Amino acid sequence: MADSQLPSTARVVIVGGGVMGVGLAYHLAHEGWTDVILLEKAELTSGSTWHAAGQITHSTSSFGLGKCVDYNIGLYSGGLERETGQPVTWHGCGSFRLAYDQDEMDWLKHTLSVGTALGFNIELVTPDRIADLHPFYNLDGVIGALHTPDDGHVDPTNVTMAMAAGARQLGVKIVRRCRATNITQASTGEWIVESEKGTIRCEHVVNAGGTYARQMGEWSGLQLPMTSMTHHYFVTENVPEFETLDTELPVIRDDKKVSGYIRMEQKRGLIGIYEKANPNTVWEDHCPWEAENELFDPDYDRVMPWLEESLNRMPIFAELGITREVHGAISHPPDGNPLIGPAPGVRNYWCCCGTQIGIGWGPGLTRELARWMVHGAADISMREFDPRRFGDYATKDWQVIKAKEDYCLRHEIPFPHFNRLAGRPIKPSPVYETLKAKGAVFEEVYGHERPRWFAPEGMEAKDIYRFGRTALHDVIAAECKAVRERVGLMDVTAFTKVLVSGPDAEPFLDRLVANRLPQKPGGIALTHMLNTRGRIELETTVVRMADGEEGFYLVCAAFFEQRLLDHLAAHRDGADVDVTNLSSNWAALSLNGPRSRDVLSQTTDAPLNNAHFKWLTAQKITVAGHKVWAFRMSYAGELGWELHMPNAACMDIYDALMAAGQAHGIADYGSFTMNVLRMEKGFKGAGELTNEVTLPEADVIRFVKRDKAFLGRDATLANEDDMLWVCAYLEVEPNGTEDGNGGEAVLWNGAVVGSTASIVYGHTVGKILVFAYLQPAAAKPETELEVVIAGQKRRARVLSEPAYDPQSLLPRTDEVMEPAQ
């Protein structure tokens, strides 16, 4: 079809012709959807794609991105050119990521374990090996490097044009020089895409607008958080030393000294810099529509310290001139991860934007988005990319603050639990200031400030930024001891809290959850919502309201707030229900430990013994003069209650519980301790329950009621006999210095059989505890395995029951404890 022709209807319209939009068109066609039209306002690749440097590396600690880059390298290094006959210009030169100190080396060891789990060609090497393969780099201070020999770089325009050719060959229509001018949704649910060449009605619309994506989202009333940041790379004159080389030098990634990368560009040198101070934003309000192949004047003052150091590291560049200065705009979401998936609050509007590393990440991510659109679920966990991970708190001013922060962290060590503090707090809980004064170190989850841990006097959050054990180990041990032996109180206001009521509430929810809804007023059930492929959308606790109130109260992780609301809306199908989001207006406190009944009883007249308040039941009671919903349940695996209340009541209730708890040794605790406690109990969490697995694979099939109909039922039951992997519970021998960080390779008889999803040191049981996805044959109880932690193999064993209180007797206890002496 000629570029001038524009159909009036299509199944999918993609707006944006960079590597992301074209990559999605290509992969949608490969998944079987060919009634696809892509609109590009100028020429393909004329936005951020054309000025990309084009590197790609296996050196990533993200398990999901690792799968993407491995696919991309295979595509670039031969698959795409063989399929389409179009040149791709792949340079498979390999790369090094350098380490100058032990912290960097620990990061590389962790990345090595993740890469091993993914089957990458990857190794740690000494400076001598670096010098053998790259004799021109100044290695002063370098102690080693991660070598990924299958890495390389590619021509961004050639890759995009080849994918465009592949998409066209399968029937996709690409229309250039056709700017979209508006995107609205009709009352039928169809999307109407207006453009300079006409209007198209479609079932699905995709925003692949690059630096235009945010303002395009505003056409449809959407807030898609991202900011355009500018990035420099420089190309030198011809390098005489390169003229006689038989092979291309590996790419060097030097995070500490250069804050960027250095490589060959034909016979020239290329230097890319992500400065660690004064990052530059452009087009904060509006990217001009006339921008095409846009570059900005170089700002040498901004990048000079790192540019000077790059010449020190590559002295053969020192006397050469700069022949090309590339200073272009790239989209940066607040946390640096792309927006890949459904837009919040609407159906069939998909985001394929906010990608700062389009060549490195793009094709793999667009393949997953295509699978999500066509089949209902991606094949990797999309949690870190889901656009619904942000809420309406992500204002434009906040977006700019966070994008600048992310840019400056681009070449910093991604320490475990690194806390990004810019632009916070956003949504503090009612007890935030009180907890802060007591030493709370907070994390941001969907805008909420949730306590992670409580720092002793003189200890700062930055003290924990290491890959091995830190002083935090003892802090968490003390918090765990308090909950296990006495009583602990945690602010869990960050939970998503949604009330579903109305005449059809019960049948509506019943067809969406795999477990049976609680049958009696005040009953509590743990259940899962699935998609048509039987993959897990989310886990939620469901409470049937009682004491004169109707409906069902749903509680789940903060991250799933918009995801839950969208899932309910998508499957409403005319049901007469009301969905009320209480997440920001209601607070919650979790009281856990053997003395929790004694503490709570001093603040309420309600009887709390087993005869009057059974385990896994809910009641509306009065605490400290306020009506609250009390749920007798415990993610810590102890006797305990969750108390849910309007925000205005939270401070009074917190103060009353703390005062009542003084005689019982009450202590505040945070999410790090809660994570340890749930792992000791063998409770699965968000790290295990992802969109890439089914309930049988997650080993939570016991929460499925086979005799009822629910969304995803057939796929769930069919998967029981055809599992590629299963979630196993392991204990690992500790060594006293490193306890793991997740993503580590698991070996069985020397071969990789899976990777860790969650890993902690269980202070109560004195063991490292792990959830790992393994080949089913390796997941049988008592199987001896090895887990690679910090470059060392550790003995591991599959457990058949929780490491702590395997019979779950403690949460059901009716025992009354004496005050601590």
Side-chain angles (χ1 to χ4, degrees):
M1 171 173 283
D3 282 352
S4 60
Q5 296 177 301
L6 194 66
S8 60
T9 63
R11 182 175 222 168
V12 182
V13 173
I14 302 169
V15 182
V19 67
M20 299 302 294
V22 171
L24 179 60
Y26 171 83
H27 288 101
L28 281 173
H30 275 275
E31 295 297 328
W33 281 12
T34 56
D35 184 12
V36 177
I37 298 172
L38 184 147
L39 305 181
E40 165 53 46
K41 76 177 184 67
E43 297 293 335
L44 299 182
T45 77
S46 60
S48 298
T49 298
W50 80 274
H51 62 69
Q55 281 96 225
I56 182 170
T57 177
H58 281 108
S59 173
T60 173
S61 299
S62 166
F63 202 82
L65 280 179
K67 290 182 177 180
C68 290
V69 298
D70 191 51
Y71 166 76
N72 295 348
I73 288 173
L75 190 71
Y76 297 159
S77 61
L80 185 59
E81 191 164 331
R82 286 192 299 271
E83 176 192 349
T84 65
Q86 300 294 310
V88 172
T89 322
W90 169 249
H91 296 259
C93 56
S95 67
F96 290 109
R97 187 179 293 278
L98 306 185
Y100 287 86
D101 57 34
Q102 192 57 50
D103 284 337
E104 285 186 303
M105 183 57 70
D106 289 343
W107 170 32
L108 299 189
K109 288 178 179 178
H110 176 65
T111 305
L112 174 65
S113 186
V114 174
T116 301
L118 289 164
F120 294 167
N121 183 11
I122 187 170
E123 62 176 343
L124 280 172
V125 297
T126 65
D128 288 343
R129 180 58 174 160
I130 306 170
D132 288 342
L133 296 178
H134 199 306
F136 305 111
Y137 205 81
N138 174 3
L139 297 174
D140 287 353
V142 173
I143 62 174
L146 196 66
H147 183 210
T148 42
D150 295 335
D151 292 357
H153 58 95
V154 71
D155 182 280
T157 298
N158 282 0
V159 163
T160 308
M161 293 304 182
M163 286 194 294
R168 287 191 182 102
Q169 289 168 8
L170 293 171
V172 171
K173 301 170 180 64
I174 297 177
V175 184
R176 298 169 298 137
R177 295 292 168 187
C178 180
R179 180 168 73 85
T181 57
N182 202 10
I183 300 173
T184 55
Q185 193 167 29
S187 59
T188 60
E190 291 178 298
W191 288 95
I192 301 171
V193 181
E194 300 172 50
S195 79
E196 294 172 326
K197 294 184 178 180
T199 298
I200 311 174
R201 297 178 74 91
C202 57
E203 181 183 354
H204 299 265
V205 69
V206 181
N207 184 338
T211 54
Y212 297 97
R214 185 175 69 182
Q215 63 208 58
M216 284 170 51
E218 291 171 356
W219 294 341
S220 309
L222 298 172
Q223 179 176 274
L224 304 178
M226 65 194 81
T227 302
S228 293
M229 310 289 301
T230 63
H231 163 60
H232 289 85
Y233 69 82
F234 304 91
V235 180
T236 73
E237 296 174 320
N238 278 13
V239 182
E241 290 82 356
F242 291 173
E243 297 292 341
T244 58
L245 291 179
D246 296 327
T247 58
E248 188 172 345
L249 296 171
V251 177
I252 297 284
R253 288 177 172 78
D254 189 329
D255 299 295
K256 185 174 291 292
K257 301 294 185 180
V258 177
S259 192
Y261 49 87
I262 295 176
R263 68 166 170 86
M264 291 176 65
E265 174 71 3
Q266 303 297 330
K267 299 301 180 182
R268 302 178 179 186
L270 186 148
I271 305 164
I273 294 170
Y274 284 84
E275 62 274 20
K276 296 181 187 291
N278 302 314
N280 182 57
T281 63
V282 291
W283 306 327
E284 289 185 13
D285 293 319
H286 183 87
C287 180
W289 292 112
E290 64 273 13
E292 183 176 341
N293 299 102
E294 189 85 12
L295 291 178
F296 302 92
D297 292 336
D299 186 346
Y300 280 101
D301 289 342
R302 206 170 85 230
V303 301
M304 188 54 70
W306 297 276
L307 183 58
E308 287 179 342
E309 183 58 29
S310 72
L311 301 181
N312 177 44
R313 291 288 144 181
M314 280 292 283
I316 60 174
F317 292 174
E319 302 302 320
L320 301 178
I322 300 294
T323 62
R324 186 177 180 217
E325 302 144 326
V326 178
H327 184 204
I330 302 173
S331 294
H332 278 253
D335 59 3
N337 288 327
L339 305 181
I340 308 293
V346 292
R347 290 191 67 179
N348 295 340
Y349 185 115
W350 301 86
C351 299
C352 186
C353 49
T355 311
Q356 56 169 290
I357 313 293
I359 301 302
W361 301 345
L365 286 174
T366 58
R367 179 179 67 163
E368 296 306 323
L369 179 56
R371 290 170 171 170
W372 200 345
M373 294 173 66
V374 174
H375 305 297
D379 286 347
I380 68 170
S381 173
M382 299 299 286
R383 175 172 178 169
E384 57 192 317
F385 315 119
D386 193 325
R388 297 168 296 180
R389 67 188 185 271
F390 299 107
D392 57 10
Y393 59 86
T395 63
K396 279 188 178 181
D397 289 344
W398 183 82
Q399 291 172 37
V400 171
I401 291 169
K402 299 303 286 186
K404 288 181 177 181
E405 177 188 53
D406 177 72
Y407 185 96
C408 291
L409 293 172
R410 182 72 186 83
H411 280 268
E412 292 287 351
I413 301 171
F415 287 115
H417 315 302
F418 186 83
N419 213 356
R420 299 186 176 206
L421 300 175
R424 291 171 52 192
I426 314 166
K427 295 196 298 186
S429 83
V431 295
Y432 172 82
E433 292 296 342
T434 296
L435 299 183
K436 183 179 177 182
K438 297 171 77 172
V441 175
F442 295 90
E443 60 191 350
E444 182 262 313
V445 285
Y446 200 71
H448 298 277
E449 294 289 332
R450 181 173 66 189
R452 279 182 161 180
W453 50 285
F454 286 79
E457 187 174 353
M459 184 176 175
E460 299 182 32
K462 64 181 178 59
D463 295 335
I464 75 164
Y465 293 151
R466 296 288 185 276
F467 275 84
R469 280 192 191 176
T470 67
L472 183 59
H473 182 82
D474 293 335
V475 173
I476 301 305
E479 291 184 10
C480 287
K481 184 178 177 67
V483 175
R484 290 284 187 235
E485 297 181 3
R486 305 188 309 275
V487 59
L489 184 61
M490 180 178 170
D491 176 15
V492 292
T493 297
F495 277 144
T496 293
K497 302 172 284 289
V498 171
L499 179 65
V500 179
S501 59
D504 296 338
E506 183 165 1
F508 169 61
L509 285 176
D510 191 55
R511 60 183 167 84
L512 292 184
V513 299
N515 202 351
R516 201 177 310 283
L517 290 173
Q519 300 299 297
K520 296 180 180 180
I524 298 175
L526 181 67
T527 188
H528 304 84
M529 293 185 179
L530 314 176
N531 52 50
T532 55
R533 294 181 72 183
R535 306 285 186 85
I536 300 171
E537 286 290 318
L538 55 94
E539 179 185 62
T540 181
T541 298
V542 180
V543 181
R544 183 187 283 266
M545 304 301 276
D547 299 319
E549 297 194 23
E550 300 293 332
F552 295 86
Y553 185 74
L554 278 59
V555 182
C556 63
F559 168 83
F560 294 111
E561 180 176 322
Q562 189 62 50
R563 192 165 182 160
L564 172 60
L565 295 172
D566 287 351
H567 194 70
L568 295 175
H571 299 286
R572 191 163 184 164
D573 297 334
D576 185 0
V577 295
D578 294 314
V579 176
T580 306
N581 185 8
L582 300 171
S583 302
S584 295
N585 298 323
W586 276 47
L589 299 171
S590 185
L591 185 72
N592 286 283
R595 294 192 172 92
S596 57
R597 179 182 280 115
D598 305 84
V599 173
L600 184 57
S601 66
Q602 294 178 54
T603 67
T604 181
D605 292 332
L608 303 176
N609 59 5
N610 284 357
H612 293 90
F613 206 140
K614 296 180 180 179
W615 184 50
L616 293 183
T617 64
Q619 295 181 25
K620 194 171 188 180
I621 65 175
T622 299
V623 177
H626 297 275
K627 289 289 187 180
V628 306
W629 272 101
F631 308 151
R632 188 173 168 192
M633 53 186 288
S634 172
Y635 199 44
E638 296 288 346
L639 177 67
W641 280 263
E642 277 185 19
L643 305 177
H644 290 240
M645 77 269 331
N647 285 341
C650 187
M651 193 70 247
D652 288 346
I653 293 170
Y654 174 86
D655 284 343
L657 291 172
M658 291 303 295
Q662 293 308 304
H664 302 280
I666 196 169
D668 294 289
Y669 70 102
S671 64
F672 282 15
T673 291
M674 179 58 79
N675 189 47
V676 172
L677 300 177
R678 70 99 182 176
M679 289 287 289
E680 291 180 339
K681 277 295 299 173
F683 293 157
K684 295 179 177 68
E688 294 73 54
L689 305 174
T690 74
N691 63 265
E692 60 193 320
V693 299
T694 64
L695 298 178
E697 290 170 333
D699 191 29
V700 290
I701 195 70
R702 65 188 180 279
F703 295 106
V704 172
K705 296 304 178 186
R706 301 168 187 270
D707 60 349
K708 58 167 287 208
F710 59 88
L711 180 65
R713 177 185 183 275
D714 292 346
T716 297
L717 300 183
N719 183 244
E720 285 188 275
D721 299 320
D722 187 30
M723 293 188 294
L724 296 177
W725 50 13
V726 67
C727 189
Y729 184 54
L730 318 178
E731 66 175 20
V732 182
E733 64 171 340
N735 73 352
T737 58
E738 293 114 351
D739 299 319
N741 297 288
E744 290 88 356
V746 181
L747 311 179
W748 185 31
N749 296 327
V752 175
V753 292
S755 63
T756 68
S758 298
I759 184 168
V760 300
Y761 182 83
H763 294 273
T764 314
V765 297
K767 303 172 182 176
I768 296 174
L769 298 171
V770 173
F771 280 123
Y773 274 95
L774 308 178
Q775 295 173 12
K780 297 176 181 177
E782 304 305 321
T783 302
E784 299 290 333
L785 303 167
E786 292 177 309
V787 177
V788 182
I789 299 176
Q792 294 183 338
K793 297 176 184 177
R794 307 270 194 88
R795 291 195 306 273
R797 182 172 63 92
V798 180
L799 300 176
S800 60
E801 60 184 18
Y804 179 79
D805 186 24
Q807 303 303 314
S808 290
L809 300 178
L810 294 175
R812 313 178 203 209
T813 184
D814 206 22
E815 185 177 352
V816 177
M817 306 293 293
E818 294 298 324
Q821 299 301 314

